[in-house]
Amino acid sequence: MIRSGALLAGLAFSGVLLISLVLGVSNTLSNPPPATAESEFHLEPRHLALASNGPFGKFDRQQLQRGFQVYKEVCSACHSLKLVAFRDLKDLGYQEAEVKAIANQWSTEVPSINPETGEPATRKATPSDAFPSPYANETAARAGNNNALPPDLSLITKAREGGAAYVHSLLTGYRNQPADLLKKFPTAKTPANLHYNPYFANLNLAMPPPLISAGQVTYAPGNPPPTVEQMATDVAAFLVWTAEPKLENRHRWGVVAAMFLLFASVLAYFAYQQVWAEAKRKTAPTITRAPAVKAKTRKAKAK
């Protein structure tokens, strides 16, 4: 009796869910949600070709150094790299003395404690320190950016769909609002202190264009001209490295693992052919016929 009641209750619950699903789908199809400016004018990130792309990708050290220079001179004024230490810059090709100089000359000092008074203080960074935040805390960061909190860039290419392509498109995507947008959505005008960018989720973001003109960062001789496009590409490549500094090792061991599995598969196939296939034939079970079937077989052969 209890089982029958539970079965009926389950069937009733399933029926209600099915009816709700059908009604919901029907209502959505008959009354689709109204179009929004974000759904119609948001753009997907443009493709970005980097040396680190693909399963065999490797970092371009010279490009990473240019990207670090763009971060240092442009992005570090608002964005932190709290998961990256100065000593990690050795992987970019910097010597130990250069790393020490970069840390010592960093514009933002590291929070510390005065050992004599116990009061909060700051000190020069050392290679073992992580890149310090340009703001003392979240409140100070919001106060300096119209209540918008600049995100930490350590893992930004992992945290945003599109990765490096998103970063590059965002940095080069600032423009005036299209006339079609304002004509179709008059209330979607970009508010004061915000900036229109179709690659951002809601089209308007608080960060002003950080890269505004060619030559904003001066590259060393032998590097490409520092156009806005080039600087955006370089800093995007640098942020790929900050998010995954061991990418080259992962690619290298991935290739080794794939080759090992292929080799092991070939060995397993030949082992099967040389050993197990023959053993399988020798141990194949024989079918025992019933006496009546055997008698019929003998009579058939005799005829």
Side-chain angles (χ1 to χ4, degrees):
M1 187 66 180
I2 296 177
R3 290 183 178 180
S4 300
L7 179 61
L8 291 176
L11 291 175
F13 183 71
S14 300
V16 171
L17 289 179
L18 181 60
I19 293 173
S20 300
L21 176 63
V22 172
L23 292 177
V25 172
S26 175
N27 183 60
T28 301
L29 294 177
S30 59
N31 299 299
T36 62
E38 292 81 0
S39 62
E40 293 200 15
F41 289 88
H42 175 68
L43 300 179
E44 294 298 324
R46 303 188 305 273
H47 174 70
L48 179 63
L50 295 176
S52 58
N53 289 352
F56 304 102
K58 294 184 178 180
F59 288 124
D60 180 344
R61 260 55 184 185
Q62 190 173 10
Q63 183 179 51
L64 295 184
Q65 290 189 14
R66 295 195 304 267
F68 169 66
Q69 186 179 353
V70 175
Y71 167 77
K72 176 184 177 183
E73 298 185 20
V74 179
C75 309
S76 64
C78 297
H79 297 277
S80 59
L81 280 179
K82 63 183 181 181
L83 300 182
V84 183
F86 286 100
R87 63 187 173 194
D88 296 332
L89 295 177
K90 292 181 182 179
D91 294 341
L92 272 59
Y94 290 103
Q95 300 300 318
E96 185 173 355
E98 293 177 305
V99 173
K100 288 182 179 179
I102 291 172
N104 184 68
Q105 298 169 10
W106 199 253
S107 58
T108 305
E109 294 190 343
V110 178
S112 182
I113 298 294
N114 188 323
E116 298 179 357
T117 64
E119 296 294 326
T122 59
R123 60 172 175 80
K124 293 289 186 180
T126 63
S128 61
D129 290 317
F131 283 84
S133 172
Y135 302 102
N137 48 53
E138 180 179 336
T139 303
R142 290 186 181 277
N145 293 276
N146 295 315
N147 203 38
L149 180 65
D152 179 81
L153 298 183
S154 304
L155 302 175
I156 196 68
T157 57
K158 290 289 187 182
R160 298 293 186 271
E161 183 179 1
Y166 166 79
V167 173
H168 173 266
S169 298
L170 189 75
L171 292 176
T172 59
Y174 290 89
R175 62 193 68 173
N176 295 325
Q177 276 191 308
D180 293 344
L181 186 152
L182 295 176
K183 183 178 180 180
K184 191 170 183 179
F185 303 98
T187 60
K189 182 176 177 60
T190 300
N193 300 321
L194 296 183
H195 308 271
Y196 178 78
N197 193 317
Y199 296 100
F200 194 63
N202 65 1
L203 306 181
N204 303 300
L205 73 163
M207 181 177 69
L211 301 175
I212 55 178
S213 62
Q216 185 174 346
V217 175
T218 303
Y219 286 165
N223 286 290
T227 62
V228 171
E229 179 75 16
Q230 185 65 52
M231 290 186 291
T233 301
D234 293 341
V235 76
F238 170 71
L239 293 176
V240 171
W241 172 79
T242 63
E244 194 169 6
K246 303 301 181 183
L247 177 140
E248 290 177 325
N249 288 338
R250 180 170 62 82
H251 286 178
R252 188 179 301 113
W253 284 107
V255 172
V256 171
M259 294 176 63
F260 170 78
L261 291 175
L262 178 61
F263 182 67
S265 299
V266 173
L267 288 181
Y269 174 76
F270 283 122
Y272 170 78
Q273 291 294 322
Q274 295 297 322
V275 180
W276 298 110
E278 185 66 24
K280 184 177 180 180
R281 285 193 289 270
K282 288 181 179 179
T283 59
T286 56
I287 301 175
T288 304
R289 297 179 181 178
V293 176
K294 290 182 179 180
K296 290 182 178 180
T297 303
R298 286 195 296 269
K299 289 181 179 179
K301 288 182 178 180
K303 291 182 180 181

